């Protein structure tokens, strides 16, 4: 019996030795498949041999023989049995003893064939314990379960679910903030009391078909008022007044670049005054700015999407500036916007750029910036809007707004030249969706 197992295992081990002569990479890829195949083939061969033998041999048809057919592995049991000091007669298992003796004989004769160890198998996923009882299958139970599954599939009709793709994204941001300051008439440093309020609505409707086409639309509306006791002509004046629409149609060129057609139109809601001056300096459609440009957009996504936005570069743009006719009786009005006498429209061509970025500086601090520039090679118009938002909670925030601007088509100021500047800080209600 021992000689039979020895010859059988030597034959399998020699075949595996030939396999080990192949390249290491191919062996690693093929190893799992070969283990399963050798194990399955050994069980089939053993079952055929058991069916042809005696009843006693059939009773030994179990899974303990896998050690003879799996890749040659050093197991601890054969060595432990060989080195024990006394025989343990309480447990007798002739089949396991023969298998262990066969393995030990091969360990001593051909140690070069050992490719694994029991410790390595434990690290990979454990070694299954010997299966003493034969593994049998209940064919009737299997057939019954299969038939039930077939009947359920035949009786059940699953309706297909079609999910409509979502191409449009709607979002917005609203805030209403105010500032109040009281100073008594006898305050030793002077000054005056004032009140101010500012409201803003920003709405976006963006289309993206997830393939090549994007269409972004943003409407910005801001309106703020302030009061001042030193102004005896006006009970309140507009401190911030903006109505602006930006629309961009893009066709994807690469992952981040788009061929873009951009339209930007801007005006204001109400009249603009100065303190103790009855003249109107601006009004709805006075001025009205329209810019149409063709260029490319770059989508910005950096720092784990903490910095997002886009950069628009246009080598060719058309810029229109319009002042309403009703203010023509005041000769200084058109000149404030670079329009010649007896005209109400200014047409310009040239390159322009627009940069819009949003940076989440911290969990409750956000920085938004918009920079716009246009040049007709005769005049330059540049503006840079900066908004810092300090969010205290979901609804309360403080905003700091800084807005430098340059336009050399306007009347030059003796103190600031062609530069203009606006700044305000407010606290109040904020809501986004």
């Amino acid at each position: 019996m021992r000689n039979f197992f020895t010859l059988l295992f030597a034959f399998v081990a020699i075949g595996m030795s030939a396999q080990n002569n192949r390249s290491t990479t191919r062996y690693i890829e093929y190893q799992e498949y070969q283990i399963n195949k050798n194990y399955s083939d050994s069980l089939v061969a053993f079952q055929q041999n058991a069916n042809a033998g005696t009843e006693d041999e059939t009773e030994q048809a179990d899974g303990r023989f896998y050690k003879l057919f799996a890749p040659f592995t050093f197991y601890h049991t054969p060595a432990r049995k060989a080195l024990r000091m006394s025989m343990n007669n309480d447990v007798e298992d002739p089949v396991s003893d023969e298998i262990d003796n066969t393995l030990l004989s091969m360990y001593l004769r051909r140690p070069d064939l050992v490719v694994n160890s029991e410790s390595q198998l434990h690290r990979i996923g454990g070694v299954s314990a010997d299966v003493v009882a034969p593994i049998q299958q209940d064919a009737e139970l299997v057939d019954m379960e299969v038939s039930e599954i077939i009947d359920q599939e035949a009786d059940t009709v699953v309706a297909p679910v079609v999910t409509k793709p979502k191409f449009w994204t709607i979002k917005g941001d609203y805030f209403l903030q105010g500032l109040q300051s009281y100073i008594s008439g006898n305050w030793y440093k002077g000054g005056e009391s004032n009140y101010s309020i500012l409201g803003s609505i920003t709405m976006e409707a963006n289309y993206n078909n997830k393939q090549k086409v994007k269409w972004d639309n943003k409407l910005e509306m801001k309106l703020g008022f302030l009061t001042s006791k030193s102004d005896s002509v006006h009970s309140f004046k507009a401190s911030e007044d903006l109505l602006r629409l930006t629309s961009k149609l893009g066709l994807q060129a690469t992952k981040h670049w788009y061929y873009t057609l951009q339209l930007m139109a801007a005006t204001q809601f109400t009249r603009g005054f100065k303190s103790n001056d009855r003249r109107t300096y601006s009004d709805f459609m006075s001025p009205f700015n329209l810019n149409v440009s063709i260029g490319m957009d770059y989508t910005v996504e950096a720092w784990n999407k903490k910095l997002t936005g886009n950069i628009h570069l246009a080598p060719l743009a058309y810029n229109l500036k319009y002042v309403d006719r009703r203010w023509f009786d005041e000769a200084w009005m058109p000149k404030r916007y670079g329009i010649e006498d007896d005209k109400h429209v200014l047409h310009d061509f040239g390159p322009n750029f627009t940069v819009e970025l949003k940076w989440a500086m911290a969990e409750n601090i956000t920085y938004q910036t918009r920079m716009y520039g246009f040049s007709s090679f005769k005049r330059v118009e540049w503006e840079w809007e900066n908004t810092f938002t300090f969010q205290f909670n979901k609804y309360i925030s403080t905003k700091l707004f800084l807005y430098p601007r340059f336009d050399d088509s306007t009347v030059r100021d003796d103190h600031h030249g062609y530069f203009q500047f606006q700044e305000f800080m407010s606290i109040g209600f904020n809501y986004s969706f």
Side-chain angles (χ1 to χ4, degrees):
M1 186 70 175
R2 179 181 300 178
N3 293 333
F4 167 74
F5 284 122
T6 303
L7 292 175
L8 179 60
F9 191 73
F11 174 76
V12 175
I14 291 172
M16 294 180 59
S17 176
Q19 178 184 354
N20 290 333
N21 291 331
R22 300 177 182 176
S23 63
T24 303
T25 303
R26 184 175 179 183
Y27 171 74
I28 293 174
E29 296 176 351
Y30 191 67
Q31 184 178 16
E32 183 178 355
Y33 165 77
Q34 193 64 38
I35 291 174
N36 295 332
K37 185 176 184 302
N38 290 344
Y39 178 65
S40 301
D41 292 346
S42 65
L43 293 180
V44 173
F46 183 78
Q47 182 65 37
Q48 293 174 353
N49 184 39
N51 292 335
T54 64
E55 183 178 355
D56 294 338
E57 292 173 338
T58 305
E59 291 177 355
Q60 298 176 358
D62 52 53
R64 288 173 289 178
F65 295 95
Y66 79 94
K67 296 180 180 180
L68 302 177
F69 302 96
F72 196 18
T73 303
F74 177 76
Y75 297 98
H76 301 159
T77 304
R80 185 166 53 249
K81 287 182 179 181
L83 297 174
R84 63 188 173 184
M85 299 298 296
S86 62
M87 298 297 294
N88 186 359
N89 297 326
D90 296 335
V91 179
E92 293 184 359
D93 189 350
V95 176
S96 295
D97 292 341
E98 287 295 330
I99 294 174
D100 292 337
N101 291 334
T102 302
L103 291 172
L104 181 60
S105 176
M106 292 303 299
Y107 294 157
L108 297 175
R109 294 181 181 182
R110 295 298 304 273
D112 58 300
L113 298 180
V114 178
V115 296
N116 292 315
S117 68
E118 187 173 344
S119 299
Q120 291 177 339
L121 296 181
H122 277 295
R123 287 195 298 269
I124 294 173
V127 179
S128 301
D130 290 343
V131 181
V132 178
I135 300 175
Q136 298 179 354
Q137 294 182 349
D138 191 344
E140 295 181 358
L141 180 60
V142 174
D143 293 340
M144 181 180 65
E145 291 180 351
V146 173
S147 62
E148 289 180 357
I149 295 174
I150 294 175
D151 293 340
Q152 291 176 1
E153 291 180 352
D155 296 339
T156 304
V157 178
V158 180
V161 178
V162 179
T163 304
K164 185 178 180 180
K166 186 178 180 180
F167 295 147
W168 284 94
T169 301
I170 308 297
K171 57 183 179 179
D173 180 73
Y174 310 90
F175 71 82
L176 180 64
Q177 299 183 334
L179 182 65
Q180 179 268 337
S181 174
Y182 171 77
I183 299 177
S184 64
N186 62 344
W187 183 246
Y188 75 105
K189 287 186 177 181
E192 62 178 359
S193 303
N194 62 79
Y195 301 88
S196 64
I197 188 172
L198 173 65
S200 172
I201 299 176
T202 302
M203 303 180 64
E204 294 186 43
N206 302 325
Y207 173 86
N208 188 347
N209 68 353
K210 311 298 182 181
Q211 294 180 1
K212 291 288 186 181
V213 179
K214 286 177 59 177
W215 183 24
D216 297 337
N217 302 276
K218 180 164 68 172
L219 178 63
E220 301 169 87
M221 295 176 285
K222 292 182 182 180
L223 187 59
F225 297 98
L226 61 85
T227 64
S228 176
K229 290 184 178 181
S230 61
D231 189 356
S232 59
V233 177
H234 310 99
S235 28
F236 61 88
K237 304 183 294 292
S239 59
E240 175 70 12
D241 196 351
L242 175 67
L243 175 60
R244 180 167 62 206
L245 172 66
T246 305
S247 180
K248 290 191 292 185
L249 179 62
L251 179 64
Q252 188 171 20
T254 63
K255 181 179 180 180
H256 294 283
W257 285 96
Y258 285 80
Y259 301 106
T260 306
L261 173 65
Q262 175 178 276
L263 180 145
M264 185 181 65
T267 184
Q268 62 189 66
F269 288 98
T270 186
R271 294 185 181 185
F273 302 101
K274 290 185 177 183
S275 295
N276 298 310
D277 190 343
R278 296 185 180 277
R279 291 191 299 182
T280 300
Y281 286 81
S282 62
D283 197 358
F284 178 74
M285 297 300 290
S286 295
F288 169 73
N289 292 287
L290 175 68
N291 185 279
V292 181
S293 60
I294 299 176
M296 296 194 73
D297 260 36
Y298 178 77
T299 303
V300 178
E301 289 185 356
W303 304 336
N304 294 326
K305 294 187 177 180
K306 291 185 178 180
L307 178 64
T308 58
N310 62 81
I311 301 173
H312 176 70
L313 304 175
L316 178 62
Y318 165 69
N319 192 82
L320 178 143
K321 188 172 291 188
Y322 171 80
V323 176
D324 201 317
R325 291 177 181 272
R326 57 180 169 169
W327 304 118
F328 272 15
D329 54 345
E330 301 182 37
W332 58 270
M333 185 67 178
K335 293 181 179 180
R336 271 184 67 83
Y337 302 103
I339 301 176
E340 297 179 1
D341 295 339
D342 300 329
K343 292 185 179 180
H344 58 90
V345 179
L346 175 64
H347 303 278
D348 280 326
F349 294 90
N352 83 331
F353 71 92
T354 307
V355 178
E356 295 189 39
L357 299 175
K358 183 176 182 179
W359 178 20
M361 303 175 64
E363 185 178 357
N364 59 342
I365 302 177
T366 304
Y367 169 61
Q368 289 180 271
T369 182
R370 175 186 177 273
M371 183 181 294
Y372 168 80
F374 172 81
S375 174
S376 65
F377 304 106
K378 293 182 179 180
R379 69 178 186 89
V380 174
E381 185 176 340
W382 172 84
E383 54 190 23
W384 186 17
E385 302 174 20
N386 301 273
T387 304
F388 295 87
T389 302
F390 305 87
Q391 195 79 32
F392 299 112
N393 55 41
K394 186 177 181 180
Y395 300 107
I396 304 299
S397 67
T398 292
K399 290 184 179 291
L400 172 63
F401 181 71
L402 306 173
Y403 184 11
R405 188 176 185 276
F406 178 88
D407 187 355
D408 58 3
S409 65
T410 61
V411 179
R412 181 181 175 86
D413 183 81
D414 293 336
H415 181 65
H416 298 286
Y418 294 114
F419 280 96
Q420 306 167 25
F421 189 78
Q422 182 186 27
E423 178 269 338
F424 67 81
M425 186 172 184
S426 59
I427 184 172
F429 173 80
N430 185 88
Y431 178 71
S432 300
F433 71 90

Tab-separated table of all heavy atoms in Angstrom, residues 19 63 89 165 168 189 196 212 226 241 249 255 277 346:
chain	number	residue	atom	x	y	z
A	19	GLN	N	6.661	21.432	-14.590
A	19	GLN	CA	5.913	22.697	-14.673
A	19	GLN	C	6.701	23.847	-14.060
A	19	GLN	O	6.667	24.966	-14.517
A	19	GLN	CB	4.583	22.520	-13.932
A	19	GLN	CG	3.740	23.794	-13.916
A	19	GLN	CD	2.478	23.607	-13.103
A	19	GLN	OE1	2.206	22.497	-12.662
A	19	GLN	NE2	1.755	24.666	-12.950
A	63	GLY	N	-11.771	13.308	1.368
A	63	GLY	CA	-10.955	14.375	0.790
A	63	GLY	C	-9.562	14.476	1.335
A	63	GLY	O	-8.881	15.478	1.082
A	89	ASN	N	-2.159	5.325	21.042
A	89	ASN	CA	-3.046	4.264	20.561
A	89	ASN	C	-4.511	4.651	20.628
A	89	ASN	O	-5.375	3.895	20.166
A	89	ASN	CB	-2.824	2.990	21.387
A	89	ASN	CG	-1.404	2.460	21.215
A	89	ASN	OD1	-0.849	2.587	20.127
A	89	ASN	ND2	-0.841	1.880	22.284
A	165	PRO	N	-31.788	60.463	-18.471
A	165	PRO	CA	-30.564	61.174	-18.054
A	165	PRO	C	-30.862	62.606	-17.641
A	165	PRO	O	-31.744	63.259	-18.194
A	165	PRO	CB	-29.686	61.115	-19.305
A	165	PRO	CG	-30.629	60.887	-20.438
A	165	PRO	CD	-31.762	60.074	-19.898
A	168	TRP	N	-29.669	68.882	-17.097
A	168	TRP	CA	-29.727	70.239	-16.561
A	168	TRP	C	-29.393	70.248	-15.071
A	168	TRP	O	-29.827	69.386	-14.325
A	168	TRP	CB	-31.111	70.851	-16.772
A	168	TRP	CG	-31.379	71.293	-18.185
A	168	TRP	CD1	-31.985	70.575	-19.165
A	168	TRP	CD2	-31.015	72.547	-18.756
A	168	TRP	NE1	-32.034	71.305	-20.320
A	168	TRP	CE2	-31.452	72.525	-20.103
A	168	TRP	CE3	-30.371	73.684	-18.276
A	168	TRP	CZ2	-31.260	73.588	-20.959
A	168	TRP	CZ3	-30.181	74.753	-19.141
A	168	TRP	CH2	-30.621	74.708	-20.453
A	189	LYS	N	-15.009	112.439	17.831
A	189	LYS	CA	-14.265	112.263	16.577
A	189	LYS	C	-15.073	112.680	15.351
A	189	LYS	O	-14.575	112.611	14.232
A	189	LYS	CB	-13.857	110.799	16.421
A	189	LYS	CG	-12.742	110.368	17.361
A	189	LYS	CD	-12.290	108.949	17.040
A	189	LYS	CE	-11.128	108.528	17.912
A	189	LYS	NZ	-10.660	107.145	17.604
A	196	SER	N	-27.429	100.879	5.897
A	196	SER	CA	-27.290	100.334	4.540
A	196	SER	C	-27.849	98.911	4.506
A	196	SER	O	-27.834	98.199	5.519
A	196	SER	CB	-25.819	100.320	4.093
A	196	SER	OG	-25.060	99.455	4.912
A	212	LYS	N	-20.307	66.122	-25.482
A	212	LYS	CA	-19.502	67.175	-26.115
A	212	LYS	C	-20.021	68.585	-25.861
A	212	LYS	O	-19.260	69.542	-25.974
A	212	LYS	CB	-19.468	66.934	-27.637
A	212	LYS	CG	-18.687	65.704	-28.073
A	212	LYS	CD	-17.193	65.892	-27.908
A	212	LYS	CE	-16.412	64.732	-28.476
A	212	LYS	NZ	-14.952	64.897	-28.304
A	226	LEU	N	-28.280	102.954	0.814
A	226	LEU	CA	-27.757	103.508	2.055
A	226	LEU	C	-28.379	104.874	2.299
A	226	LEU	O	-28.832	105.550	1.372
A	226	LEU	CB	-26.228	103.597	2.016
A	226	LEU	CG	-25.551	104.477	0.955
A	226	LEU	CD1	-25.450	105.935	1.400
A	226	LEU	CD2	-24.150	103.957	0.640
A	241	ASP	N	-25.631	98.243	-7.550
A	241	ASP	CA	-26.717	98.071	-8.524
A	241	ASP	C	-26.171	97.322	-9.727
A	241	ASP	O	-25.348	97.847	-10.480
A	241	ASP	CB	-27.263	99.442	-8.940
A	241	ASP	CG	-28.624	99.340	-9.624
A	241	ASP	OD1	-29.038	98.210	-9.924
A	241	ASP	OD2	-29.260	100.389	-9.832
A	249	LEU	N	-21.930	78.874	-24.658
A	249	LEU	CA	-22.185	77.619	-25.362
A	249	LEU	C	-20.833	77.021	-25.743
A	249	LEU	O	-20.038	77.661	-26.445
A	249	LEU	CB	-23.037	77.861	-26.610
A	249	LEU	CG	-23.365	76.624	-27.452
A	249	LEU	CD1	-24.186	75.612	-26.666
A	249	LEU	CD2	-24.088	77.033	-28.734
A	255	LYS	N	-10.225	67.205	-22.638
A	255	LYS	CA	-10.852	66.945	-21.341
A	255	LYS	C	-11.241	68.238	-20.639
A	255	LYS	O	-12.320	68.328	-20.042
A	255	LYS	CB	-9.895	66.134	-20.469
A	255	LYS	CG	-10.473	65.788	-19.110
A	255	LYS	CD	-9.497	64.960	-18.288
A	255	LYS	CE	-10.076	64.613	-16.923
A	255	LYS	NZ	-9.136	63.808	-16.106
A	277	ASP	N	-26.405	116.030	-4.891
A	277	ASP	CA	-26.354	116.322	-6.329
A	277	ASP	C	-27.623	115.751	-6.958
A	277	ASP	O	-27.906	114.551	-6.850
A	277	ASP	CB	-25.119	115.682	-6.947
A	277	ASP	CG	-24.887	116.160	-8.381
A	277	ASP	OD1	-25.831	116.710	-8.989
A	277	ASP	OD2	-23.761	115.956	-8.885
A	346	LEU	N	-21.433	102.982	-28.773
A	346	LEU	CA	-20.014	102.827	-29.041
A	346	LEU	C	-19.769	101.376	-29.452
A	346	LEU	O	-20.094	100.443	-28.701
A	346	LEU	CB	-19.185	103.169	-27.791
A	346	LEU	CG	-17.670	102.945	-27.897
A	346	LEU	CD1	-17.073	103.877	-28.952
A	346	LEU	CD2	-16.997	103.151	-26.549
